[in-house]
Amino acid sequence: MTVQFPPPAAAEPVFAKPAFRAVGARDLAHIPGRKGLPWLGILPEAVADPYRFTRRMHARYGDVHRFYACGNWNVQLVGAEANEFVLFDAAGNFSSAGGWDPVFGRHFQGGLLLRDGADHNRHRKLLAAAFKQHQLEGYLRIFDRVIRADQPEWRQGTIETYGAAQRLGFKIGYASFLGRPEADAQPMDLWSFRSLMRTSTSIVTFPFPGNSEWRAAKAHRHVVGLIDGAMADPLTDSRGDLLANLLRQQDEQGLTREEIVGHMVFVIAASYDALSSGMTSTIFHLSQNPEWQAPLREELTGIIAGPDDVTLANLARCTLADRIFKEALRLNAAAPVLWRRALGDCTFRGVEIPSGTVTGVNPMLTHLLPEIWGEQPSRFDPDHFLPDRVRARHKYAYVPFGGGAHACLGMNYAALEAKLLLRHMLDGRRIEMAQPTAPKFYHWPNARPLGGLKIRLVPVDE
């Protein structure tokens, strides 16, 4: 069957945004922090080295502090309790839409992060249908097929890992989310989604020829055209992709074309971007800590001996792979800051946060606090995720996929893809870094190696 959509009703908003009061310096005078430069505030320092900036602010001002950037005051909370207060948000103090709209609102309207309350719950339930167990089983076949076919590129000599991981993650998303053959994915498609994600760091938010907003507007037109074309593809019973799931719910749930497009744009862009970050970080830490490669190879190739062994049950048995992936995400959080905005006055540790305050929690820093992770928090140690050590920690000490009502739906999808990639990479090979010095990871808008990460997959007997 072919699904036909009526033309969009541009005058109707996809959803209603909450209204917030402006928060100024006087409102936050009781919270320590600093302003920095006029209008830009602390932005130049934060952009130069996000982790160093955050660490210095925390050391000087503590777990609750404020800073000024791009004409606005923000409050940042640090620590496991802060993560629970803001992300789990038992009292309903915060809006995700209000926090993320300045970052993603220009090009990702309709995504789950830009929805709140009953509206968010409804749309989350619709999307969650595409990440249930039987759907993940279907995605595994796509993962294995695409990763297996991609291995000649990875094994041909020196490869730049971040770029290769982006291309691989996008091809997998093309098949599992759009339901189209991965071979049909074009460089322009990847460029468009990448351009949309990069605008989250734009300082100038109006387009003029050549700037990031101009490129993003061009990219958005291309992406919407791509998704519109996929919507017209036959909706066969055999399709298990995300788009097919949403189309099947269109009549029953009253989904509009704009809502489906909004979800597809955000899910594809965010998933491949976060996955390429996480996979690159995992590969980097294995190259720097080669003693973990042999036991990981033994586990993965022993449990996943061939294509017929690629099942959810078998991958769940790959517990060392799970610990290694989690540790890599701890050391290089894919999303360094998670934003919200206060819906009303609230209090954390006796400090009042006024209504309307843009409030962030910082996984990048919390994941490296010595009081949580020991005297050497920057050391790669997958044993951090042994069951007894996990039980001994605060539940919100580790939040690479967020938490609470807005926790990432794709966390299991990401782990499965990473395990299968490692399975194929380490089959008879070991990972070696192919550059003289280790790259520095830059943490905004996600963690990625500056200048790339060059590796070689070397036969284990060499």
Side-chain angles (χ1 to χ4, degrees):
M1 77 184 269
T2 300
V3 178
Q4 298 292 333
F5 285 88
E12 293 296 324
V14 175
F15 67 100
K17 296 182 184 179
F20 297 97
R21 63 178 287 264
V23 175
R26 290 185 178 181
D27 300 300
L28 301 176
H30 60 290
I31 299 177
R34 63 188 180 86
K35 180 176 181 178
L37 299 172
W39 194 81
L40 286 174
I42 51 76
L43 188 66
E45 182 183 347
V47 168
D49 191 330
Y51 174 63
R52 184 183 182 192
F53 164 75
T54 302
R55 187 180 61 193
R56 283 184 169 183
M57 290 290 288
H58 180 245
R60 182 172 180 182
Y61 299 113
D63 290 346
V64 184
H65 56 264
R66 63 182 170 123
F67 59 84
Y68 182 80
C70 298
N72 295 294
W73 281 99
N74 306 267
V75 168
Q76 185 157 247
L77 311 182
V78 177
E81 293 80 8
N83 291 341
E84 182 176 22
F85 176 70
V86 174
L87 301 179
F88 185 66
D89 194 17
N93 291 316
F94 295 100
S95 161
S96 177
W100 285 110
D101 188 66
V103 181
F104 290 130
R106 299 184 304 282
H107 302 294
F108 291 104
Q109 283 298 332
L112 279 182
L113 282 179
L114 295 165
R115 295 179 182 273
D116 288 316
D119 174 71
H120 166 264
N121 294 340
R122 170 178 173 257
H123 283 268
R124 184 179 177 86
K125 183 177 180 180
L126 297 178
L127 281 175
F131 293 97
K132 292 184 177 179
Q133 185 164 336
H134 71 282
Q135 293 294 138
L136 291 174
E137 287 279 11
Y139 295 151
L140 285 181
R141 293 190 290 273
I142 296 172
F143 296 172
D144 191 55
R145 181 186 74 232
V146 178
I147 292 170
R148 191 180 295 273
D150 223 43
Q151 283 307 290
E153 178 186 353
W154 289 76
R155 298 186 174 209
Q156 66 183 356
T158 299
I159 186 168
E160 197 288 295
T161 306
Y162 185 64
Q166 284 206 320
R167 293 189 295 274
L168 174 63
F170 185 73
K171 284 187 284 188
I172 289 174
Y174 202 88
S176 57
F177 295 145
L178 284 176
R180 289 187 158 184
E182 60 272 11
D184 291 352
Q186 299 298 311
M188 182 62 182
D189 302 333
L190 175 56
W191 176 89
S192 296
F193 282 101
R194 182 190 293 137
S195 296
L196 290 177
M197 288 302 292
R198 290 295 173 262
T199 59
S200 62
T201 59
S202 295
I203 297 174
V204 178
T205 57
F206 57 88
F208 59 85
N211 81 336
S212 61
E213 289 295 316
W214 180 87
R215 291 191 296 272
K218 177 182 177 181
H220 194 268
R221 290 192 295 271
H222 178 85
V223 165
V224 171
L226 174 68
I227 295 170
D228 275 338
M231 285 181 174
D233 291 344
L235 188 60
T236 61
D237 292 340
S238 62
R239 282 183 59 183
D241 53 275
L242 172 61
L243 179 57
N245 270 277
L246 292 175
L247 291 173
R248 290 188 185 108
Q249 297 178 83
Q250 181 208 0
D251 293 333
E252 180 181 346
Q253 300 296 333
L255 280 177
T256 67
R257 168 195 171 275
E258 292 76 18
E259 289 172 328
I260 293 176
V261 169
H263 286 310
M264 293 301 301
V265 171
F266 186 74
V267 168
I268 295 174
S271 65
Y272 100 86
D273 209 45
L275 271 167
S276 57
S277 171
M279 290 191 293
T280 301
S281 185
T282 305
I283 292 165
F284 167 74
H285 285 292
L286 284 171
S287 76
Q288 299 298 290
N289 301 273
E291 68 274 13
W292 291 95
Q293 293 189 37
L296 178 60
R297 180 185 305 107
E298 181 179 357
E299 176 185 85
L300 289 170
T301 58
I303 296 174
I304 313 293
D308 292 341
D309 300 314
V310 180
T311 65
L312 287 179
N314 280 339
L315 284 165
R317 293 167 55 203
C318 300
T319 56
L320 177 58
D322 191 56
R323 284 158 45 207
I324 285 172
F325 183 56
K326 286 179 177 178
E327 178 69 350
L329 290 179
R330 179 184 75 84
L331 293 170
N332 285 311
V337 181
L338 302 173
W339 294 106
R340 298 291 189 267
R341 194 163 184 177
L343 290 165
D345 295 341
C346 57
T347 302
F348 177 70
R349 292 184 179 172
V351 179
E352 182 183 344
I353 300 172
S355 176
T357 303
V358 175
T359 307
V361 292
N362 196 297
M364 173 179 61
L365 184 58
T366 300
H367 289 177
L368 294 168
L369 290 176
E371 55 265 38
I372 297 174
W373 305 98
E375 295 180 357
Q376 296 180 293
S378 298
R379 183 171 69 91
F380 181 76
D381 181 10
D383 287 349
H384 279 130
F385 293 93
L386 289 170
D388 59 335
R389 293 175 71 173
V390 171
R391 286 191 294 269
R393 278 196 304 271
H394 192 289
K395 182 180 179 181
Y396 278 79
Y398 177 72
V399 288
F401 296 102
H406 284 85
C408 177
L409 284 170
M411 63 180 77
N412 292 325
Y413 177 102
L416 293 170
E417 186 175 322
K419 288 180 182 181
L420 277 176
L421 176 59
L422 292 172
R423 159 63 181 83
H424 287 289
M425 289 181 68
L426 291 172
D427 189 1
R429 305 273 173 154
R430 54 188 169 83
I431 301 168
E432 279 189 358
M433 198 167 67
Q435 57 192 64
T437 58
K440 179 180 180 180
F441 273 75
Y442 183 75
H443 295 87
W444 187 254
N446 60 11
R448 62 189 189 277
L450 291 175
L453 170 65
K454 295 178 181 178
I455 63 158
R456 286 188 297 265
L457 297 180
V458 182
V460 291
D461 55 1
E462 286 188 11

